[in-house]
Amino acid sequence: MTLRYALALASALSIANVVQSAAVARDDTSPLYIPKITTDPSRFIDPDFPGLAFEQASFVNYALNSDGTPNVFSHNLVDAIFARTGGKPLIRLGGTSGDYAKYLANQTEPALPRAEVDNFQNIGGTTIGPSYWAIAAKSFPSGQYIVQIPMATPDMEEAVRWAKAATASIGADRIHSYEPGNEPDLYPAQGLGPPNWQGRQDNGTYVSNFVNYCDRVAAVLGLPRGTRRFQALDTASHPADPQQDVFSLSLRSLMEGGLDGHYAVKTVARHYYQTDGGGAADLARGLMNHAAITARLDVYRSDLEFLAGRTTKIPYVLSEVGNSLNRKHDYAYQATLGSALWQVDFQLYALSLGVARFNFQQIMHSGFNLWLPGASGGMPPQVFANYYAQPFVADFVGSAGTVQVKNVPLEPNVAAYVAYEVGAPKRVAIVNLNYWSKCLSKKGEQRLAQHVRLQTPPGVTKVRVVHLTSPNGASAKAKTITYAGSQWTYESLGKEVTGVRNDGDVLAVNGGTVEIPVKASEAVIVHFI
């Protein structure tokens, strides 16, 4: 761990402790002034930004019911996100299981073994058949796919078979990009080394492999040199040593070593997990910690600045995202209102830095999922708390296509962001990460609020405030969470159920200011009207 990150993390943990201690005293009031920005079209947020990712075998469960019919529940939940941005779902298929998988042309099942809540992804033993790609072709019709192709195997023809089968079924127009390999900085997977699998990668060996696999796949698919259809890097997340997120394979060194020498790179990707473990007692310290979130994401500034300085602009994406790399799911940490608030703050701060897109990972056995598509391992299908972050962030960004997001410092554990359309401020998001739980906070501890005295733009006479909240606070599960008074449930098959809670406000602006109360463990969007 570098000194810079260690100091930032120590400061974050110290601030979290101070904030939690101070919060028992009283409500606080803070001024919030909206700064002017320079309109920069290169920083406009792509409406496709809230992407998805599915572990190779798990995708089948999300796309189809157990009887083989389309999973309408999943489709409706995805539609509810992108209806708000006007974008299309960009869906990444892969993961470590896919990188070490085999394509079997005579396999009738789409993916084996079948993914379930109570089993772990099979690394080195996953196989897929032609019907896998047929399912992808029929699912999420408005979306495009990032198709991961195996690079962990030195047999380049495996990647060719994979790419040919996917393209033949899905169609080239619905494939956003091909992604050679997954987390190559972690090669080889335990027990799966040379000669049957690739060995350790450094900057030089990775460039050589990436370029060769891209060239071979492009030649077979008939893509002319210079066709930017490949996603590069997809390096692992290292929560215990975050600088390794950008140093394990150095973007600058890779580019200087010829990574884009054949002009094939469409996007550059890294993976992101905030922590590598945690339980209910760690929620405030591990996830509901704005300083830790910003310190963790600031690691990517060097990559972003490097790409911004290049003539050819290549988007930078976090292509596999989850809140914590718990080996087994811990829903009391990973699927709460607190983790949903982490997901809001994480996305908005990353967008303010210039990250172009996220792909939120879905694995049947994980605890950070947005939803469970069907009954599995004794659990019923359901929407998890983390899903509620997505309509919130999608509404905040909106559908204008000309939006920039700026982080405005407020309080140590209360974050504020402004959404601008062509430079004009339109909305403010305030995320109060101070921890309060009806079940787990000290007996009698009040749920205090941060009052934000917001200076509104000229001409604004009223604001509309919508809440992401639960009466149970940080430890709440999805059953009691609402966003803008709405819920999404399995019983509604993923369609929005409005009017569950009437907690929205329309407030008058007086003298150019309006006071917004934001409870502990709550987020709000303030719309200027």
Side-chain angles (χ1 to χ4, degrees):
M1 184 182 298
T2 66
L3 179 60
R4 177 184 175 187
Y5 181 77
L7 291 172
L9 182 58
S11 175
L13 297 177
S14 174
I15 287 170
N17 291 334
V18 169
V19 169
Q20 300 307 322
S21 300
V24 290
R26 57 183 172 79
D27 289 348
D28 286 325
T29 301
S30 301
L32 178 59
Y33 303 99
I34 298 177
K36 293 182 179 180
I37 65 166
T38 301
T39 302
D40 181 356
S42 72
R43 296 293 294 270
F44 288 168
I45 296 171
D46 189 330
D48 301 341
F49 79 90
L52 294 161
F54 296 95
E55 180 271 328
Q56 200 74 49
S58 294
F59 174 72
V60 177
N61 306 55
Y62 281 87
L64 295 183
N65 295 313
S66 58
D67 63 0
T69 58
N71 191 309
V72 175
F73 176 45
S74 289
H75 285 72
N76 286 341
L77 288 171
V78 173
D79 289 346
I81 298 169
F82 289 93
R84 291 169 149 77
T85 70
K88 59 184 177 297
L90 295 181
I91 299 169
R92 175 181 179 258
L93 303 176
T96 304
S97 60
D99 203 11
Y100 287 84
K102 299 291 184 183
Y103 174 75
L104 303 179
N106 61 351
Q107 179 173 301
T108 57
E109 292 293 323
L112 292 173
R114 182 175 172 86
E116 300 290 357
V117 165
D118 54 0
N119 68 11
F120 196 76
Q121 57 186 311
N122 193 317
I123 298 171
T126 297
T127 57
I128 66 168
S131 62
Y132 184 94
W133 301 116
I135 292 168
K138 295 176 182 177
S139 301
F140 308 106
S142 63
Q144 289 184 332
Y145 291 96
I146 297 102
V147 175
Q148 182 187 299
I149 54 177
M151 196 175 76
T153 171
D155 178 10
M156 203 178 300
E157 295 312 299
E158 181 66 45
V160 167
R161 289 189 288 272
W162 204 277
K164 285 178 65 178
T167 307
S169 289
I170 298 172
D173 60 332
R174 290 194 61 208
I175 295 180
H176 170 274
S177 53
Y178 302 89
E179 175 199 316
N182 175 78
E183 300 183 349
D185 53 323
L186 297 186
Y187 286 178
Q190 188 173 4
L192 297 174
N196 296 323
W197 304 97
Q198 297 269 22
R200 183 180 178 276
Q201 303 289 291
D202 58 25
N203 292 327
T205 54
Y206 175 74
V207 166
S208 177
N209 277 317
F210 179 83
V211 170
N212 288 338
Y213 277 65
C214 289
D215 282 353
R216 178 68 180 132
V217 169
V220 170
L221 297 180
L223 302 176
R225 179 167 290 191
T227 304
R228 294 189 176 276
R229 291 294 294 275
F230 294 89
Q231 181 160 288
L233 274 71
D234 278 277
T235 49
S237 179
H238 303 264
D241 188 4
Q243 290 291 339
Q244 289 304 309
D245 285 12
V246 295
F247 288 158
S248 62
L249 289 176
S250 163
L251 176 59
R252 180 184 294 272
S253 297
L254 294 171
M255 285 295 195
E256 291 174 351
L259 182 72
D260 197 31
H262 296 174
Y263 312 107
V265 177
K266 184 172 185 175
T267 46
V268 168
R270 304 282 197 184
H271 295 176
Y272 187 99
Y273 293 87
Q274 185 69 36
T275 62
D276 55 10
D282 305 304
L283 185 56
R285 180 185 178 94
L287 296 180
M288 298 181 67
N289 186 338
H290 177 66
I293 293 166
T294 59
R296 183 87 173 78
L297 282 165
D298 282 344
V299 166
Y300 300 99
R301 284 181 181 269
S302 58
D303 278 359
L304 289 162
E305 290 166 2
F306 172 73
L307 288 176
R310 287 170 50 88
T311 302
T312 301
K313 303 303 180 186
I314 296 176
Y316 190 84
V317 306
L318 298 176
S319 63
E320 182 182 308
V321 176
N323 54 46
S324 187
L325 277 169
N326 295 42
R327 173 74 180 182
K328 295 183 178 179
H329 45 248
D330 190 329
Y331 296 115
Y333 179 68
Q334 296 178 285
T336 62
L337 175 59
S339 62
L341 295 174
W342 166 83
Q343 198 163 302
V344 169
D345 195 34
F346 156 76
Q347 288 180 85
L348 296 185
Y349 189 73
L351 289 171
S352 78
L353 294 179
V355 173
R357 188 183 76 237
F358 317 97
N359 295 94
F360 281 91
Q361 184 77 342
Q362 307 293 291
I363 309 178
M364 287 294 289
H365 68 76
S366 79
F368 50 69
N369 289 331
L370 305 182
W371 73 96
L372 182 65
S376 178
M379 292 186 63
Q382 60 190 286
V383 175
F384 289 118
N386 299 325
Y387 178 84
Y388 283 79
Q390 299 311 95
F392 181 103
V393 174
D395 274 346
F396 179 69
V397 171
S399 59
T402 56
V403 173
Q404 293 173 251
V405 169
K406 183 173 180 61
N407 172 231
V408 183
L410 190 60
E411 294 292 336
N413 215 34
V414 182
Y417 301 89
V418 182
Y420 302 81
E421 295 179 5
V422 199
K426 295 294 183 179
R427 294 169 292 281
V428 170
I430 304 165
V431 189
N432 189 338
L433 291 163
N434 289 318
Y435 181 90
W436 180 88
S437 168
K438 184 177 180 180
C439 302
L440 300 178
S441 290
K442 294 177 182 178
K443 186 176 180 180
E445 183 178 335
Q446 294 181 342
R447 187 179 193 178
L448 301 178
Q450 183 74 41
H451 291 255
V452 178
R453 189 174 296 117
L454 174 61
Q455 184 179 56
T456 59
V460 173
T461 59
K462 293 185 293 186
V463 299
R464 179 169 57 89
V465 183
V466 295
H467 302 253
L468 171 57
T469 193
S470 165
N472 291 344
S475 59
K477 303 298 175 58
K479 187 176 181 179
T480 65
I481 296 173
T482 53
Y483 162 60
S486 294
Q487 287 190 325
W488 291 259
T489 68
Y490 179 70
E491 290 71 25
S492 71
L493 283 181
K495 285 189 172 289
E496 183 175 359
V497 181
T498 60
V500 175
R501 184 173 292 129
N502 183 19
D503 60 0
D505 306 292
V506 175
L507 304 176
V509 174
N510 294 309
T513 65
V514 62
E515 188 163 303
I516 312 293
V518 187
K519 294 176 183 177
S521 304
E522 177 182 79
V524 304
I525 301 176
V526 183
H527 296 265
F528 300 138
I529 55 178

